[in-house]
Amino acid sequence: MDSLHHVVVPSPFANMTPLYEIAPEADLLLIIPPYTPPSPSGGAPTQGLRLKLSSAHLSLASRAFRTKLQQKHSKQSDNRTHLSLPATGEFDPRAVTIVMNALHGRGSKVPRTLEGGVEILASIAKVVETFGVLEAVAVYADRWIDGLVAKGLPREFGREAVLWVYATRVFRRAEVFREITAVVAAGAVGVVDGFGFALGEKVVRDIESQRQQLVSAALDILDDVVDELADGLVPCEQFDCDSFLLGKLVKTLRKSKLFPRPASPFAGVGLAGIEEAIDKSGLQIARRSDDSVLTEGGLWTTTPKNTIVKALSQSKKTAPPRQQQQRPFTPESSPEPAAARSSGRASVFGEHQCEARKLVGTLEAIHALCGGVRGLELESELGYLLY
């Protein structure tokens, strides 16, 4: 789509939107239509703007402007060429003004920091990409991005993270691009929408490919644990933990629409969502040291193993025969409540470890997946841009 149009007006007073002079010797008037923010819930259009610019500065900095100005056109009654941005209202007047000040060498008028955060950064990136003026704005962009990164990048998938992907691609900040695409790949639940900004077909495709690979790997881990518990490969002779943990895990997965296993391309499923479901299930996996053992609360505790062995040996002396402990598997008579009601065995159940609990502990690998997500590389090892 052509982003610049010659316009003819009957008089210089035909458009009464605000007028801002950037070049005193201005021979060009750039008309910016009212802007409609591309947010999910829409947004109130902001007022348009007219900028008085120098065609010489613009032709030198931008091929798009140079090509348009080389076309035959007549000057208006104010002795200027009039160009207009698309009437679709996709360019933020604030962003255009900042870029035009930079192109005209008015560094004192270019903000050192961006009060609008990544929203205005992405809007500036859109102007820069559309008119191909990265070189003239790069020094400012590095300062803006450094300032915003110092405040913290988003750690969860959402509009803010997607705008960071767009801005860092345009401004070629490879290290931030890699980090934020990892956040998006881990948190997305489908093909990523650019929220009004062109992420690039290859960026979207590669993020989606990475999302599907991560989800598939996490579901493989869950499937292995469920299968081994269901097949009785890790029985618990003391408290029937295998049955209890299997039931709890399957209920968690069904609630999150993860059981039965969803089919590829896993629409509506993301790695971060799988991790969150496991964390909220009561089967929360915490980091552990080599001498830690399994417990029900967070599955891992630092209680020494010899203490567990001693407690278990003492409990065997006072515990009723095993056949009296077995009950129908109901919420009221499951191993956990039964152990809690038995004063002599409650602490032992909390400290108890078995192969079933160790197996569920392998769900920690899902945390490892989340922590090990590597985003997209913006450049090749030889320095060629990949996106």
Side-chain angles (χ1 to χ4, degrees), residues 33-37 42-48 88-89 93:
Y35 171 62
T36 303
T46 60
Q47 192 174 26
T88 50

Side-chain angles (χ1 to χ4, degrees), residues 133-211:
V133 293
L134 176 61
E135 294 301 324
V137 182
V139 64
Y140 302 106
D142 282 341
R143 187 167 63 200
W144 296 329
I145 292 174
D146 288 342
L148 293 175
V149 169
K151 296 179 181 179
L153 289 172
R155 306 317 307 168
E156 297 180 353
F157 171 74
R159 174 183 171 82
E160 185 180 357
V162 171
L163 265 56
W164 269 109
V165 171
Y166 175 73
T168 53
R169 178 185 65 77
V170 172
F171 290 123
R172 302 179 185 175
R173 288 295 298 266
E175 73 288 357
V176 188
F177 180 79
R178 182 191 310 114
E179 184 173 351
I180 200 62
T181 51
V183 172
V184 173
V189 295
V191 178
V192 176
D193 175 27
F195 296 103
F197 296 90
L199 299 181
E201 182 180 344
K202 191 170 188 295
V203 171
V204 172
R205 183 178 68 246
D206 289 354
I207 287 177
E208 173 62 6
S209 175
Q210 193 171 64
R211 178 193 74 87

Side-chain angles (χ1 to χ4, degrees), residues 57-298:
H57 283 81
L58 294 178
S59 295
L60 184 63
S62 167
R63 177 181 296 179
F65 272 100
R66 182 165 63 252
T67 300
K68 182 60 65 173
L69 291 170
Q70 287 173 347
Q71 297 174 359
K72 289 184 179 180
H73 60 276
S74 59
K75 293 188 176 182
Q76 302 298 298
S77 56
D78 60 355
N79 203 33
R80 296 188 178 94
T81 299
H82 288 207
L83 293 177
S84 177
L85 295 176
T88 50
E90 57 188 282
F91 291 95
D92 187 338
R94 298 175 303 162
V96 178
T97 302
I98 289 172
V99 172
M100 292 304 159
N101 273 318
L103 298 185
H104 285 72
R106 288 160 50 95
S108 63
K109 299 296 183 180
V110 178
R112 297 184 62 84
T113 59
L114 295 179
E115 297 299 327
V118 72
E119 289 281 346
I120 186 66
L121 178 68
S123 293
I124 293 172
K126 188 170 189 175
V127 178
V128 168
E129 183 174 44
T130 299
F131 300 110
V133 293
L134 176 61
E135 294 301 324
V137 182
V139 64
Y140 302 106
D142 282 341
R143 187 167 63 200
W144 296 329
I145 292 174
D146 288 342
L148 293 175
V149 169
K151 296 179 181 179
L153 289 172
R155 306 317 307 168
E156 297 180 353
F157 171 74
R159 174 183 171 82
E160 185 180 357
V162 171
L163 265 56
W164 269 109
V165 171
Y166 175 73
T168 53
R169 178 185 65 77
V170 172
F171 290 123
R172 302 179 185 175
R173 288 295 298 266
E175 73 288 357
V176 188
F177 180 79
R178 182 191 310 114
E179 184 173 351
I180 200 62
T181 51
V183 172
V184 173
V189 295
V191 178
V192 176
D193 175 27
F195 296 103
F197 296 90
L199 299 181
E201 182 180 344
K202 191 170 188 295
V203 171
V204 172
R205 183 178 68 246
D206 289 354
I207 287 177
E208 173 62 6
S209 175
Q210 193 171 64
R211 178 193 74 87
Q212 291 187 32
Q213 291 175 25
L214 292 167
V215 169
S216 180
L219 293 177
D220 286 345
I221 294 170
L222 291 170
D223 287 349
D224 288 345
V225 172
V226 169
D227 288 346
E228 290 194 46
L229 288 172
D231 292 341
L233 301 180
V234 283
C236 174
E237 299 297 335
Q238 187 72 18
F239 293 108
D240 293 329
C241 293
D242 50 339
S243 298
F244 170 71
L245 294 174
L246 174 62
K248 202 165 190 179
L249 180 57
V250 169
K251 286 177 64 177
T252 295
L253 299 181
R254 284 186 64 86
K255 184 177 180 180
S256 302
K257 296 183 171 34
L258 298 174
F259 186 88
R261 180 186 177 115
S264 178
F266 313 118
V269 183
L271 176 61
I274 295 175
E275 181 184 41
E276 182 180 8
I278 296 301
D279 282 347
K280 290 182 177 180
S281 68
L283 300 168
Q284 184 175 1
I285 310 302
R287 300 301 177 196
R288 65 183 180 87
S289 60
D290 291 340
D291 60 349
S292 301
V293 293
L294 288 161
T295 64
E296 176 54 29

